[in-house]
Amino acid sequence: MPHDGDDFVKPPPDPVLRVKVLESLLIEKGLVDPTAMDALIDQYETKVGPRNGARVVAKAWVDGSFLEKIKIDCSAEIFDVFGFQGRQGEHIIAVENTSNVHNVVVCTLCSCYPWTVLGLPPVWYKSAPYRSRVVEDPRGVLREFGTEIPEDREIRIWDSTSEMRYLVIPERPIGTDGWSEEQLSQLVTRDSMIGVGLVKNPVDFAVS
Ligand code: FE
């Protein structure tokens, strides 16, 4: 393809605009039903979302046999227990953080992500810098998220594919003995289930 002087390096038009144009084309050609599209977006942005994952983590913290099962086949187990299922929800396994290992999830090739438990992937997850840098320099990338992992702790990177997706089970914070699953789930952030963040500090949550 010939280069066209300086025009060649012009940034592409606003992605939002491009998406709108694509969407109107698809609707105009009768390829998608706009109501179905709105329902799908709403489903993953607001209803599914990371709250599902937080409930899975909270249950894993209180129920050791559930934890063992989701480490083998998370998709099957969360369907049995919570009824969670849906697109991009197949072949999920849980990876558990311990005092020796901190797990981080990426998709180096594109943007594979466990929608059923985390909702739609954040923009940075799909970005080229995250996808390449987290593999080369995990500690540096985590530091940019404000997450410091002790030097003596191994960082394990899990590369997602359409064949296998991962859900990080963060460590249960101390000081949460006797908390209900509902209370525990409030501590679990989306980023802690990707591995770039940690759970919230229980001290900030008054338990009534
Ligand atoms: Fe992918």
Side-chain angles (χ1 to χ4, degrees), residues 23 26-27 32-42:
E23 188 184 339
L26 288 169
I27 292 166
V32 296
D33 168 4
T35 328
M37 188 182 264
D38 287 347
L40 193 68
I41 292 170
D42 182 61

Side-chain angles (χ1 to χ4, degrees), residues 57 61 95-97 168-172 188-189 192-193 197-199:
V57 169
W61 282 345
V95 288
E96 182 192 9
N97 286 353
V168 175
I169 307 297
E171 280 186 286
R172 178 174 177 165
V188 183
T189 62
S192 72
M193 295 182 281
L198 300 173
V199 296

Side-chain angles (χ1 to χ4, degrees), residues 107 109-112 160:
C107 173
L109 207 59
C110 45
S111 58
C112 299
S160 310

